[in-house]
Amino acid sequence: MIRTFTTSITRRLPVLNHVRLYRALAIESSCDDSCIALLERTKPNQPPTIIDHAKKTLHSADVGGIMPTAAYTYHMATIANMCRDFCHKHGISATSPPDLICVTRGPGMAGSLSSSTEFAKGLSVAWNVPLVGVHHMLGHLLTSFLPQSSQQPHANPPQFPFLSLLCSGGHTLLVLSKSISEHEIIINVSDIAVGDSLDKCARELGMYGNMLGRELETFINNIPQIEKDEFEAMNVDTRIGNKYKFRLTLPYQTPKNGKFNEGGIQFAFAQFLSNIQEYKKKFYISDRSSGEFDEKTKRMIAYKTQEFVFDHIIDRINLALKTHGLRKSTADGKLVGVRDFVCSGGVAANKRLREKLFRDLKFDEIGPDPFKFHFPDLSLCTDNAIMIGLAGMEIFEKLQLKTDLSFTPLRKWPLDELTTVDSWTNVDEDEVNRVCKY
């Protein structure tokens, strides 16, 4: 039996003195979340109002992770009914359609993407409204443009050019964004994404749940402070440096692989799982008949692993700041003018990562002015349709592009190739004005 987790957010709209506005219906299903959102924009160059957002998530903990075929079946059984109920709730129909449809085109799992892209095409034809196929990571990147309802209620949105750490279960990138359409990947990942690594490490430690990275964070947060202090002071450079014989190092630190590789500066997270597996096999289970970690050892491994995963992210970004900054003679000036730093994606919800970024990033490498940090609301860090609607509205208005109905989902779609893929269609000024009733 398929079990789901359902969430819904509804926000009351302010009373408006005019009716010159437009609404966008957005759909997201790139992985295991079926998401729908309705956004409304009343003024150009202002963030839209979030009217409502709904999400249902495939329960995959019992099978050890997300299975693409199960996710495809789940979305096929969920999206249409979910959209019908959502539209009925908000009075959306063929006689009162939204003005724009936005749907995730990629990157993601092909089956999951196709379930919503084909449905969105049908809505576009039936309602005779334009459709925008949105890049999933662009959605994450733009979430900080939305008003902060909790942590930073008065913060201004980032200004181009800005840097973004996009960290999720499927991607880990440091991106320099010069505009809505111009994105340069400063650091890519060479193996698996940080969220995937944390999930697998948590599973190897015996944790259970639909979002294992969050389970790991909660587990670590509940460690007594006296133990955290002990683990923090523990030297794991060598196995003989601690009573647990546990060794852990940052990737790309040895002379053999160096700080750079052929692809430039990169992240790497696969070794954190293999490190736990090797330790369990060679240095732990061989001494214990049960084959399971005792509770304190489990807490130590969890704490040190999460710390080193995030330290690796900090180390790589600091190297990029030094390489591309302004103050060093070796700098190429690539980051001239950058004064904002965004962290978004599912892993960006981890409070320890936010603390370490704020504390340990060496922004003095790029110039004397203080940096402004932007962290989206926790509810918008994980996959959602709100970000897809926002990105689609920006593409339609700022780039004057929509997507031809012949488009197909893109399992891989580099962010620096946002507008070079097929099926983009130019939108003339008349259509923009007809949709955006400003």
Side-chain angles (χ1 to χ4, degrees):
M1 178 182 296
I2 293 177
R3 286 185 284 164
T4 67
F5 301 99
T6 305
T7 60
S8 181
I9 303 171
T10 304
R11 300 180 182 178
R12 186 179 298 276
L13 283 173
V15 176
L16 301 174
N17 295 323
H18 56 81
V19 293
R20 298 182 64 79
L21 46 83
Y22 82 103
R23 299 185 300 173
L25 181 73
I27 306 174
E28 146 68 19
S29 68
S30 60
C31 190
D32 61 338
D33 296 309
S34 294
C35 311
I36 296 178
L38 184 63
L39 290 81
E40 188 168 61
R41 178 171 267 161
T42 59
K43 295 180 181 179
N45 301 317
Q46 293 292 321
T49 299
I50 302 166
I51 298 177
D52 198 4
H53 169 227
K55 176 192 289 191
K56 292 185 178 181
T57 303
L58 171 67
H59 181 85
S60 56
D62 294 337
V63 294
I66 301 167
M67 298 177 61
T69 53
Y72 168 73
T73 301
Y74 174 77
H75 292 309
M76 291 295 290
T78 303
I79 289 289
N81 286 328
M82 189 177 177
C83 186
R84 179 199 59 197
D85 296 342
F86 189 87
C87 289
H88 179 75
K89 176 181 178 182
H90 295 285
I92 298 173
S93 65
T95 57
S96 181
D99 303 285
L100 184 69
I101 296 173
C102 309
V103 65
T104 306
R105 184 183 182 184
M109 296 189 296
S112 294
L113 292 166
S114 65
S115 60
S116 57
T117 54
E118 293 306 301
F119 184 70
K121 288 180 185 180
L123 294 179
S124 176
V125 171
W127 292 340
N128 191 30
V129 296
L131 181 149
V132 178
V134 176
H135 194 293
H136 180 82
M137 299 311 293
L138 179 66
H140 278 304
L141 188 148
L142 295 181
T143 50
S144 288
F145 283 68
L146 292 167
Q148 303 291 297
S149 63
S150 56
Q151 293 188 330
Q152 304 172 71
H154 304 297
N156 293 321
Q159 301 295 311
F160 294 108
F162 62 86
L163 278 172
S164 293
L165 172 63
L166 304 177
C167 47
S168 66
H171 302 84
T172 310
L173 307 168
L174 183 70
V175 179
L176 172 62
S177 297
K178 300 177 183 179
S179 70
I180 293 295
S181 60
E182 298 175 275
H183 308 280
E184 180 178 355
I185 298 174
I186 304 298
I187 309 177
N188 210 331
V189 64
S190 62
D191 42 39
I192 64 174
V194 60
D196 189 22
S197 177
L198 290 171
D199 286 350
K200 289 177 177 176
C201 288
R203 186 176 294 112
E204 190 68 25
L205 290 172
M207 297 179 194
Y208 174 87
N210 210 54
M211 300 183 70
L212 284 167
R214 185 176 294 175
E215 296 294 330
L216 180 66
E217 180 186 11
T218 301
F219 178 80
I220 294 169
N221 289 344
N222 289 330
I223 296 175
Q225 188 60 47
I226 190 172
E227 286 192 3
K228 289 183 180 180
D229 294 340
E230 175 190 344
F231 300 152
E232 183 66 29
M234 192 174 74
N235 181 2
V236 292
D237 289 343
T238 64
R239 298 195 190 281
I240 61 174
N242 61 84
K243 66 180 181 181
Y244 297 93
K245 298 181 181 180
F246 184 70
R247 182 171 185 266
L248 190 58
T249 59
L250 297 180
Y252 300 125
Q253 300 299 307
T254 64
K256 180 179 179 181
N257 55 42
K259 293 181 179 297
F260 298 89
N261 56 26
E262 293 182 359
I265 306 173
Q266 293 195 341
F267 295 116
F269 299 101
Q271 78 170 48
F272 294 102
L273 172 64
S274 60
N275 185 75
I276 297 174
Q277 293 172 330
E278 180 185 11
Y279 176 69
K280 180 186 285 189
K281 180 179 180 181
K282 295 184 178 180
F283 297 93
Y284 191 85
I285 291 181
S286 59
D287 297 329
R288 292 162 175 79
S289 58
S290 68
E292 298 294 335
F293 293 120
D294 64 76
E295 287 304 310
K296 187 172 183 180
T297 300
K298 180 178 176 180
R299 293 193 292 270
M300 179 275 296
I301 295 173
Y303 179 84
K304 297 298 283 190
T305 297
Q306 180 178 265
E307 288 291 294
F308 270 63
V309 166
F310 295 158
D311 285 345
H312 171 57
I313 291 175
I314 300 294
D315 173 75
R316 297 287 89 190
I317 297 177
N318 279 337
L319 180 59
L321 293 176
K322 182 177 181 179
T323 302
H324 303 300
L326 302 179
R327 288 190 168 188
K328 301 298 182 180
S329 59
T330 57
D332 58 18
K334 188 172 290 186
L335 303 182
V336 172
V338 174
R339 290 294 172 264
D340 293 275
F341 185 89
V342 172
C343 179
S344 59
V347 182
N350 188 296
K351 293 182 180 179
R352 182 58 176 164
L353 173 60
R354 295 184 177 205
E355 291 172 0
K356 293 176 82 71
L357 288 170
F358 188 79
R359 185 191 70 192
D360 297 334
L361 285 183
K362 298 177 181 178
F363 285 120
D364 59 330
E365 299 287 357
I366 67 169
D369 296 334
F371 254 71
K372 297 177 183 178
F373 284 82
H374 303 268
F375 298 104
D377 281 352
L378 296 179
S379 63
L380 297 180
C381 287
T382 54
D383 290 352
N384 62 86
I386 295 171
M387 67 183 193
I388 301 304
L390 172 63
M393 295 168 94
E394 292 294 302
I395 289 171
F396 187 80
E397 290 190 63
K398 302 294 194 319
L399 304 184
Q400 296 193 353
L401 292 173
K402 64 179 180 180
T403 307
D404 184 88
L405 295 182
S406 64
F407 82 96
T408 56
L410 297 173
R411 186 175 66 86
K412 294 183 178 182
W413 186 5
L415 189 56
D416 54 1
E417 299 177 13
L418 178 66
T419 59
T420 61
V421 296
D422 63 356
S423 299
W424 286 119
T425 301
N426 291 320
V427 180
D428 60 35
E429 202 71 36
D430 289 341
E431 184 170 6
V432 173
N433 293 333
R434 186 168 63 252
V435 171
C436 310
K437 310 177 187 72
Y438 300 135

